[in-house]
């Protein structure tokens, strides 16, 4: 089973992704986490992407596609894994097409796209209270100014993916403003409609 989590920054995708991955033996892959690790290591990729991430823009498609491609291969090599859950990738139509090619090479495809919806005002309120509650855990891009840019990038670049996946019959929309447990229940209800949920991923 291969899932994509779509949604604006701060909608709670990461938290929900980790729970769903654990419950369904999926590997949660977050391009944001991979890029932050590259920045922390000071690798060549890290140096290229650091300032882009700090400003809230999107890093080049080829960089994220190659990171995802490698991690997908690694995940397929683990027989205990039933599939993958992508959080933060794809972020635009070009990446969506790149993903299809990468999956096709592995004889795989996307089973469902879950979109966590939340109004822009609610996103800003969430980040402001998170900064107030945990000032020490603040990320470089955790400021209201950068969040505004990230929200704009989301509307301009990522939002069109909703229509793209709706037209393919893959999109399920979830209200991300509900409490965490309720959002988790809505996600489980949506996943229960995938025919092979909990079953083995396709052979090959
Ligand atoms: P995230 O943790 O998913 O919110 O990502 C943090 C930052 O990493 C984003 O603001 C982008 O700068 C970068 N990033 C993460 N995923 C992607 C992606 N698929 N394409 C381009 N940039 C990305």
């Amino acid at each position: 089973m291969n899932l994509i989590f779509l949604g604006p920054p701060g909608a709670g995708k990461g938290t929900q992704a980790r729970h769903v991955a654990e419950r369904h033996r999926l590997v949660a892959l977050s391009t944001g986490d991979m890029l932050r690790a590259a920045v922390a290591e000071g690798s060549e990729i890290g140096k290229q992407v650091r300032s882009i991430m700090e400003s809230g823009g999107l890093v080049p498609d080829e960089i994220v596609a190659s990171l995802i491609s490698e991690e997908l291969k690694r995940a397929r090599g683990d027989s205990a894994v039933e599939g993958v859950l992508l959080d933060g990738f794809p972020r635009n139509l070009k990446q969506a097409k790149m993903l299809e090619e990468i999956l096709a090479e592995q004889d795989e495809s996307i089973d469902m796209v879950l979109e966590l919806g939340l109004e822009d005002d609610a996103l800003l309120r969430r980040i402001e209270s998170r900064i107030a509650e945990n000032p020490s855990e603040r990320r470089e891009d955790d400021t209201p100014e950068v969040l505004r840019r990230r929200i704009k990038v989301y509307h301009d670049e990522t939002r069109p993916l909703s229509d793209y996946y709706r037209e393919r019959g893959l999109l399920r929309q979830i209200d991300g403003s509900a409490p965490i447990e309720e959002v988790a229940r809505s996600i489980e209800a949506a996943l229960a409609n995938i025919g092979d949920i909990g079953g083995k991923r396709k052979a090959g």
Side-chain angles (χ1 to χ4, degrees), residues 103-124:
L103 289 175
E105 278 168 19
Q106 302 178 347
D107 204 17
E108 293 278 345
S109 58
I110 297 153
D111 294 288
M112 190 177 274
V113 178
L114 290 149
E115 182 179 47
L116 256 58
L118 205 62
E119 297 294 326
D120 295 356
D121 289 352
L123 296 169
L124 282 160

Side-chain angles (χ1 to χ4, degrees), residues 31-32 35-36 53 57-59 64 88-89 91 95 139 150:
T31 41
L35 293 166
R36 277 186 288 279
M53 290 176 76
L58 292 186
V59 313
V64 277
F89 181 89
R91 282 272 227 288
Q95 292 181 13
R139 268 170 32 187
R150 278 154 50 83

